[in-house]
Amino acid sequence: MSGGAAGIPKPLPSSGPKSLREMPHPLATSSSEEMGPALTPSPDLLLPRSIADKKYNTAQRRQSRMLLEREEENFLMQLDLSLPNGTPVDTSSPASSSSLLNRLQLDDDLDGETKDLFVTVDDPKKHVCTMETYITYRVTTKTTRAEFDLPEYSVRRRYQDFDWLRIKLEESQPTHLIPPLPEKFVVKGVVDRFSEEFVETRRKALDKFLKRITDHPVLSFNEHFNVFLTAKDLNAYKKQGMALLSKVGESVKYVTGGYKLRSRPLEFAAIGEYLDTFSLKLGTIDRIAQRIIKEQLEYLVELREYGPIYSTWGGLEVELSEPLEGVSACIGNCCTALEELSEDMTDDFLPVLREYILYSESMKNVLKKRDQVQAEYEAKLEAVALKKEDRPKVPTDVEKCQDRVECFNADLKADMERWQNNKRQDFRQLLMGMADKNIQYYEKCLTAWESIIPLLQDKPETK
């Protein structure tokens, strides 16, 4: 909407009522009909036309490819497949859990031929200084984008640098969902933040944080992100306090909470209800999973004391020594399998749950910002209507406020769609991985117990 246009502003665009029941379940796949038309973020982000065209076309090609893959899967599932001799084709899960995981493994690079920015986080190093001790990570960037002077960069960053980047993205891109960072603070005495396990878990989370930004068609072109990836001395850049906020960012940054929203549009109210339910369910799963892991570790301590007793007993019983040693070895193998399962749950399962709990909170914050801008727009529009004098044109500030609302609506819906797609992929892989690890655990335990059965069977007496 151009500034100064005559007439009363048009009502806010809406995609119509949408109940919570109609929104996709966190673990469910969706058909192309459910996804609806592709939503394009607002062009009010002051990016060059060529860059904007390139990144939106990339996103559209990626989404089209995903839609085609889903349609093909649905079509094959509906076919009554059979061989020429009439024998039905087995479309059930394969015998091997690993092959099932490979079949459902989704390609990280959905559109590899057009991806032009790759970022990795690795090589954590501990720095001990007089005043503090901290960890830095190597951030490596490979790119063919024109806005980068070199094709490859390698810099070192600490956690507070990642936190600075997230804050700057929130300030300069307030209409977009910013990926969450892993939580900074840990409970002293419970988790050692310099332990190898903790540092590796944080490295993975920071790597995923940057990859989320890299894959975003708008955030990946942010100037703060460019500086984060390329600047050798990031502290010098922080001190300069460069004002790189977009016009949208500046306008939203100074919106106060003094305006009261009458009611959210139905589609955004449904999003808010869904996020509340989603975060509540994930929080419950997270708490129970942590209790299960704690109980597994306690059980593991008991098993480690339990197994050697049979070995000691075998030294006193000559005739039973072989089967008793077998039982002791079997319990030891089960201990190893349980320890591996607990580590997989701690390293792979819990971090994904925690990331999406934080993700839902980030989405709620964007939704609140959208509500503030809509409330401001409604208040200004009402103030204009109450004035007695005739105005041939709507005030410019009201038109700008309406533009901000429309920008928020478009960007929020586009990011919600992208988030839902990522969530479906992540939870598919997560649950398949969890099933695979549990199958491996029970297979190892089964093999261990089966191995001692021959030792327990009666042997024919020799004459």
Side-chain angles (χ1 to χ4, degrees), residues 162-172 178 181 209:
F162 288 85
D163 191 42
W164 170 87
L165 173 62
R166 174 170 167 76
I167 292 173
K168 287 301 180 183
L169 289 176
E170 286 182 338
E171 291 177 351
S172 57
I178 310 301
L181 273 175
F209 169 71

Side-chain angles (χ1 to χ4, degrees), residues 326-335 337 441-455:
V327 171
S328 178
C330 171
I331 295 175
N333 292 333
C334 291
C335 283
Y441 164 70
Y442 287 108
E443 285 177 345
K444 291 176 181 177
C445 292
L446 178 63
T447 302
W449 285 107
E450 285 180 338
S451 67
I452 67 170
I453 291 179
L455 301 177

Side-chain angles (χ1 to χ4, degrees), residues 354-367:
R354 193 58 201 161
E355 181 198 13
Y356 272 93
I357 292 174
L358 296 174
Y359 236 137
S360 62
E361 294 302 318
S362 297
M363 180 64 82
K364 290 178 187 178
N365 290 334
V366 179
L367 203 56

Side-chain angles (χ1 to χ4, degrees), residues 306-312 323-333 452:
Y306 181 58
I309 297 176
Y310 286 91
S311 181
T312 305
L324 289 175
E325 287 289 349
V327 171
S328 178
C330 171
I331 295 175
N333 292 333
I452 67 170

Side-chain angles (χ1 to χ4, degrees), residues 352-397:
V352 176
L353 293 181
R354 193 58 201 161
E355 181 198 13
Y356 272 93
I357 292 174
L358 296 174
Y359 236 137
S360 62
E361 294 302 318
S362 297
M363 180 64 82
K364 290 178 187 178
N365 290 334
V366 179
L367 203 56
K368 290 179 182 177
K369 293 178 185 177
R370 194 216 74 86
D371 291 344
Q372 290 176 3
V373 175
Q374 180 183 339
E376 180 188 12
Y377 169 68
E378 291 175 349
K380 290 184 177 181
L381 197 62
E382 183 178 5
V384 171
L386 292 176
K387 291 183 178 180
K388 297 181 179 180
E389 62 269 18
D390 295 333
R391 290 180 176 269
K393 294 183 180 181
V394 176
T396 304
D397 62 331

